[in-house]
Amino acid sequence: MRVLVLRPEPAATRTARKLVALGHETVLLSLSKPEHDIDAVKAALAERHSAIAITSAEVARLFGTIGDDLDRHLLTTIFSVGQASAHAAEEAGFRTVLTPGGDGKDLAEMIVAHCRDFGMPAEPILYLAGLPRARSFETRLTEAGIPFRTVEAYRMVPIIPRRTATETALLRPVPDAVLFYSRESARAFFELPPLAEIPERFLSTLMLCMSANVAKAVPQRFAALTVVASSPNEESLLDLL
């Protein structure tokens, strides 16, 4: 299959390697890139906190850029949204990384259960977040009365690819499948000129979504070919191919 990957780098290249190993032809078209706020993360780590929560592997990779300032925090418990984030946190040197292996709601429920078993933390949980993001994680912690502080560690900046690059990726030939990892990338994809001008060209393309929330950004005309992964992780998404 010819599979279009919309992820930002370097995640896009890692996904491409997996797809090639599975025998697929891979096309990369990044529609966003991360901008890290290292100073905000350093300042946040300097304030008192009981644990650190992350809902993106992008934050975990950011840890590797902090340097020696991170060393005194490596015994802090990390609550991580999924296996990719957890692995990245472990690679950064954190000793205790807990993950439910699901999405933000699952992570919040795990923290709620942890607080129920061990008591409310004396200091707030430091939530290192991205922008844009879903608010379900923060909403659930607030409902449970768990103290936390949100600090935006990075933001995703849109990339507008050249028309020639877009047409090469989308029309030469039309992909058999597109992988959507985020609602924002799905929304940006359907605004690209080839989709906006003649969407009928893509009515045979599989729209494969990481979660039901991501699938909400797919226009109704593509509903028949929209498939949601059984779990919100890359392994489940690639299993749809």
Side-chain angles (χ1 to χ4, degrees), residues 13-26 238:
T13 296
R14 290 196 297 271
T15 297
R17 293 195 193 102
K18 295 178 182 179
L19 291 168
V20 169
L22 293 171
H24 299 294
E25 178 188 356
T26 306
L238 299 187

Side-chain angles (χ1 to χ4, degrees), residues 73-162:
H73 300 287
L74 295 179
L75 295 180
T76 302
T77 297
I78 295 280
F79 293 108
S80 171
V81 74
Q83 295 299 332
S85 301
H87 180 66
E90 290 168 348
E91 284 193 329
F94 285 93
R95 309 291 196 272
T96 304
V97 182
L98 307 177
T99 177
D103 58 14
K105 289 182 179 179
D106 296 320
L107 181 62
E109 292 300 338
M110 184 181 75
I111 293 174
V112 170
H114 188 275
C115 291
R116 186 167 54 242
D117 293 341
F118 299 99
M120 286 290 185
E123 304 291 343
I125 294 171
L126 173 58
Y127 174 33
L128 295 176
L131 187 71
R133 65 182 178 276
R135 303 287 174 168
S136 56
F137 174 75
E138 292 158 285
T139 298
R140 182 66 183 100
L141 292 191
T142 299
E143 291 173 349
I146 296 172
F148 69 96
R149 183 173 74 257
T150 300
V151 173
E152 290 177 353
Y154 74 96
R155 68 187 189 98
M156 298 305 297
V157 180
I159 294 175
I160 301 176
R162 294 179 180 272

Side-chain angles (χ1 to χ4, degrees), residues 183-219:
R183 192 166 179 172
E184 289 73 30
S185 65
R187 187 180 297 112
F189 173 75
F190 290 102
E191 292 174 353
L192 293 172
L195 272 298
E197 294 166 0
I198 311 179
E200 291 77 16
R201 288 181 292 197
F202 302 91
L203 290 177
S204 296
T205 300
L206 290 171
M207 306 297 176
L208 307 182
C209 302
M210 178 80 84
S211 69
N213 183 57
V214 174
K216 291 177 182 177
V218 179

Side-chain angles (χ1 to χ4, degrees), residues 136 178-179:
S136 56
V178 183
L179 302 182

